[in-house]
mmCIF file of all heavy atoms in Angstrom:
data_model
loop_
_atom_site.group_PDB
_atom_site.id
_atom_site.type_symbol
_atom_site.label_atom_id
_atom_site.label_comp_id
_atom_site.label_asym_id
_atom_site.label_seq_id
_atom_site.Cartn_x
_atom_site.Cartn_y
_atom_site.Cartn_z
ATOM 1 N N GLU A 74 32.058 -4.612 -243.493
ATOM 2 C CA GLU A 74 32.110 -4.882 -244.953
ATOM 3 C C GLU A 74 32.155 -6.380 -245.227
ATOM 4 O O GLU A 74 31.435 -6.925 -246.088
ATOM 5 C CB GLU A 74 33.306 -4.155 -245.540
ATOM 6 C CG GLU A 74 33.467 -4.511 -247.035
ATOM 7 C CD GLU A 74 34.687 -3.737 -247.675
ATOM 8 O OE1 GLU A 74 35.045 -2.678 -247.221
ATOM 9 O OE2 GLU A 74 35.187 -4.262 -248.655
ATOM 10 N N GLN A 106 23.115 2.778 -240.050
ATOM 11 C CA GLN A 106 23.236 3.130 -238.623
ATOM 12 C C GLN A 106 24.610 3.825 -238.386
ATOM 13 O O GLN A 106 24.729 4.854 -237.755
ATOM 14 C CB GLN A 106 23.261 1.903 -237.718
ATOM 15 C CG GLN A 106 21.862 1.215 -237.631
ATOM 16 C CD GLN A 106 20.839 2.082 -237.014
ATOM 17 O OE1 GLN A 106 21.125 3.136 -236.422
ATOM 18 N NE2 GLN A 106 19.537 1.683 -237.110
ATOM 19 N N SER A 142 21.359 -9.220 -260.437
ATOM 20 C CA SER A 142 21.167 -9.594 -261.868
ATOM 21 C C SER A 142 21.642 -11.002 -262.131
ATOM 22 O O SER A 142 21.023 -11.727 -262.906
ATOM 23 C CB SER A 142 21.887 -8.586 -262.756
ATOM 24 O OG SER A 142 23.250 -8.951 -262.898
ATOM 25 N N PRO A 163 2.665 -35.698 -279.726
ATOM 26 C CA PRO A 163 1.475 -35.489 -280.520
ATOM 27 C C PRO A 163 0.545 -34.469 -279.869
ATOM 28 O O PRO A 163 0.470 -34.430 -278.636
ATOM 29 C CB PRO A 163 0.869 -36.912 -280.583
ATOM 30 C CG PRO A 163 1.411 -37.644 -279.458
ATOM 31 C CD PRO A 163 2.759 -37.079 -279.162
ATOM 32 N N THR A 185 -27.561 -21.995 -297.372
ATOM 33 C CA THR A 185 -27.488 -20.490 -297.329
ATOM 34 C C THR A 185 -26.266 -19.961 -298.017
ATOM 35 O O THR A 185 -26.358 -18.904 -298.648
ATOM 36 C CB THR A 185 -27.477 -20.001 -295.857
ATOM 37 O OG1 THR A 185 -26.584 -20.827 -295.089
ATOM 38 C CG2 THR A 185 -28.884 -20.058 -295.259
ATOM 39 N N PHE A 188 -27.300 -19.776 -301.718
ATOM 40 C CA PHE A 188 -28.232 -18.677 -301.971
ATOM 41 C C PHE A 188 -27.554 -17.303 -301.774
ATOM 42 O O PHE A 188 -27.850 -16.347 -302.470
ATOM 43 C CB PHE A 188 -29.524 -18.849 -301.241
ATOM 44 C CG PHE A 188 -30.464 -19.803 -301.851
ATOM 45 C CD1 PHE A 188 -30.671 -21.057 -301.304
ATOM 46 C CD2 PHE A 188 -31.094 -19.490 -303.065
ATOM 47 C CE1 PHE A 188 -31.512 -22.027 -301.957
ATOM 48 C CE2 PHE A 188 -31.946 -20.428 -303.690
ATOM 49 C CZ PHE A 188 -32.128 -21.644 -303.127
ATOM 50 N N GLY A 194 -30.472 -12.709 -299.173
ATOM 51 C CA GLY A 194 -30.166 -12.466 -297.783
ATOM 52 C C GLY A 194 -30.744 -13.617 -296.959
ATOM 53 O O GLY A 194 -31.362 -14.563 -297.514
ATOM 54 N N GLY A 216 -61.053 -22.567 -291.496
ATOM 55 C CA GLY A 216 -61.852 -23.695 -291.974
ATOM 56 C C GLY A 216 -61.357 -24.219 -293.315
ATOM 57 O O GLY A 216 -61.978 -25.187 -293.823
ATOM 58 N N VAL A 248 -44.236 -13.414 -294.893
ATOM 59 C CA VAL A 248 -45.115 -12.308 -294.532
ATOM 60 C C VAL A 248 -44.457 -11.339 -293.605
ATOM 61 O O VAL A 248 -44.447 -10.117 -293.753
ATOM 62 C CB VAL A 248 -46.491 -12.786 -293.972
ATOM 63 C CG1 VAL A 248 -47.405 -11.663 -293.681
ATOM 64 C CG2 VAL A 248 -47.092 -13.835 -294.890
ATOM 65 N N LYS A 255 -39.138 -3.192 -297.421
ATOM 66 C CA LYS A 255 -39.672 -2.625 -298.665
ATOM 67 C C LYS A 255 -39.176 -3.469 -299.868
ATOM 68 O O LYS A 255 -38.051 -3.968 -299.793
ATOM 69 C CB LYS A 255 -39.028 -1.244 -298.827
ATOM 70 C CG LYS A 255 -39.643 -0.124 -297.966
ATOM 71 C CD LYS A 255 -39.515 1.220 -298.674
ATOM 72 C CE LYS A 255 -40.065 2.355 -297.847
ATOM 73 N NZ LYS A 255 -39.237 2.719 -296.714
ATOM 74 N N PRO A 263 -34.157 -20.173 -293.195
ATOM 75 C CA PRO A 263 -34.078 -21.539 -292.702
ATOM 76 C C PRO A 263 -34.548 -21.597 -291.238
ATOM 77 O O PRO A 263 -34.520 -20.580 -290.542
ATOM 78 C CB PRO A 263 -32.549 -21.839 -292.706
ATOM 79 C CG PRO A 263 -31.846 -20.504 -292.598
ATOM 80 C CD PRO A 263 -32.846 -19.427 -293.104
ATOM 81 N N ASP A 288 -40.322 -8.726 -306.898
ATOM 82 C CA ASP A 288 -39.898 -7.563 -307.577
ATOM 83 C C ASP A 288 -41.018 -7.184 -308.590
ATOM 84 O O ASP A 288 -42.052 -7.846 -308.558
ATOM 85 C CB ASP A 288 -38.570 -7.789 -308.303
ATOM 86 C CG ASP A 288 -37.737 -6.521 -308.463
ATOM 87 O OD1 ASP A 288 -38.315 -5.415 -308.489
ATOM 88 O OD2 ASP A 288 -36.492 -6.611 -308.596
ATOM 89 N N THR A 299 -33.330 -20.375 -310.856
ATOM 90 C CA THR A 299 -32.817 -20.311 -309.478
ATOM 91 C C THR A 299 -32.724 -21.731 -308.884
ATOM 92 O O THR A 299 -31.814 -22.101 -308.283
ATOM 93 C CB THR A 299 -33.732 -19.423 -308.597
ATOM 94 O OG1 THR A 299 -33.799 -18.129 -309.209
ATOM 95 C CG2 THR A 299 -33.140 -19.229 -307.202
ATOM 96 N N GLU A 302 -30.079 -23.901 -310.624
ATOM 97 C CA GLU A 302 -28.759 -23.437 -310.182
ATOM 98 C C GLU A 302 -28.468 -23.930 -308.755
ATOM 99 O O GLU A 302 -27.406 -24.405 -308.495
ATOM 100 C CB GLU A 302 -28.780 -21.925 -310.248
ATOM 101 C CG GLU A 302 -27.439 -21.261 -310.376
ATOM 102 C CD GLU A 302 -26.764 -21.598 -311.678
ATOM 103 O OE1 GLU A 302 -27.348 -22.064 -312.637
ATOM 104 O OE2 GLU A 302 -25.543 -21.421 -311.676
ATOM 105 N N ARG A 343 -29.220 -42.159 -306.370
ATOM 106 C CA ARG A 343 -28.277 -41.278 -307.070
ATOM 107 C C ARG A 343 -28.971 -40.214 -307.858
ATOM 108 O O ARG A 343 -29.794 -40.472 -308.718
ATOM 109 C CB ARG A 343 -27.240 -42.127 -307.932
ATOM 110 C CG ARG A 343 -25.942 -42.282 -307.164
ATOM 111 C CD ARG A 343 -24.967 -43.103 -307.816
ATOM 112 N NE ARG A 343 -25.456 -44.542 -307.924
ATOM 113 C CZ ARG A 343 -25.099 -45.354 -308.870
ATOM 114 N NH1 ARG A 343 -24.360 -44.932 -309.877
ATOM 115 N NH2 ARG A 343 -25.580 -46.584 -308.849
ATOM 116 N N GLU A 346 -29.208 -39.395 -312.310
ATOM 117 C CA GLU A 346 -29.120 -40.590 -313.140
ATOM 118 C C GLU A 346 -30.465 -41.342 -313.085
ATOM 119 O O GLU A 346 -31.342 -41.024 -312.271
ATOM 120 C CB GLU A 346 -28.068 -41.544 -312.606
ATOM 121 C CG GLU A 346 -26.746 -40.904 -312.458
ATOM 122 C CD GLU A 346 -25.706 -41.803 -311.769
ATOM 123 O OE1 GLU A 346 -25.961 -43.011 -311.648
ATOM 124 O OE2 GLU A 346 -24.650 -41.263 -311.369
ATOM 125 N N ASN A 362 -53.191 -12.557 -302.751
ATOM 126 C CA ASN A 362 -53.721 -12.360 -301.393
ATOM 127 C C ASN A 362 -52.585 -12.286 -300.366
ATOM 128 O O ASN A 362 -52.698 -11.619 -299.325
ATOM 129 C CB ASN A 362 -54.646 -13.477 -301.016
ATOM 130 C CG ASN A 362 -55.998 -13.384 -301.736
ATOM 131 O OD1 ASN A 362 -56.273 -12.346 -302.351
ATOM 132 N ND2 ASN A 362 -56.798 -14.410 -301.650
ATOM 133 N N PHE A 379 -40.468 -20.595 -302.571
ATOM 134 C CA PHE A 379 -40.245 -22.059 -302.555
ATOM 135 C C PHE A 379 -39.949 -22.448 -301.092
ATOM 136 O O PHE A 379 -39.611 -21.661 -300.289
ATOM 137 C CB PHE A 379 -39.117 -22.491 -303.490
ATOM 138 C CG PHE A 379 -37.799 -21.796 -303.225
ATOM 139 C CD1 PHE A 379 -36.909 -22.275 -302.280
ATOM 140 C CD2 PHE A 379 -37.461 -20.631 -303.910
ATOM 141 C CE1 PHE A 379 -35.735 -21.652 -302.036
ATOM 142 C CE2 PHE A 379 -36.275 -19.965 -303.696
ATOM 143 C CZ PHE A 379 -35.422 -20.497 -302.739
ATOM 144 N N ARG A 397 -34.943 -40.420 -288.089
ATOM 145 C CA ARG A 397 -35.015 -40.224 -286.613
ATOM 146 C C ARG A 397 -33.649 -40.126 -285.940
ATOM 147 O O ARG A 397 -33.489 -39.485 -284.897
ATOM 148 C CB ARG A 397 -35.790 -41.441 -285.992
ATOM 149 C CG ARG A 397 -37.265 -41.306 -286.326
ATOM 150 C CD ARG A 397 -38.006 -42.563 -285.982
ATOM 151 N NE ARG A 397 -37.580 -43.713 -286.812
ATOM 152 C CZ ARG A 397 -38.230 -44.859 -286.852
ATOM 153 N NH1 ARG A 397 -39.326 -45.043 -286.117
ATOM 154 N NH2 ARG A 397 -37.815 -45.853 -287.630
ATOM 155 N N SER A 413 -16.429 -31.483 -289.690
ATOM 156 C CA SER A 413 -15.454 -30.730 -288.900
ATOM 157 C C SER A 413 -15.924 -29.289 -288.775
ATOM 158 O O SER A 413 -16.350 -28.622 -289.751
ATOM 159 C CB SER A 413 -14.092 -30.812 -289.597
ATOM 160 O OG SER A 413 -13.300 -29.761 -289.099
ATOM 161 N N PRO A 418 -18.590 -24.396 -295.154
ATOM 162 C CA PRO A 418 -18.937 -24.528 -296.556
ATOM 163 C C PRO A 418 -18.956 -23.216 -297.305
ATOM 164 O O PRO A 418 -19.560 -22.268 -296.882
ATOM 165 C CB PRO A 418 -20.370 -25.135 -296.565
ATOM 166 C CG PRO A 418 -20.814 -25.189 -295.170
ATOM 167 C CD PRO A 418 -19.734 -24.678 -294.245
#
Side-chain angles (χ1 to χ4, degrees):
E74 177 178 332
Q106 293 295 350
S142 85
T185 43
F188 280 107
V248 183
K255 282 207 181 75
D288 208 336
T299 305
E302 203 63 19
R343 258 177 294 151
E346 304 173 15
N362 287 350
F379 55 86
R397 289 170 294 191
S413 162

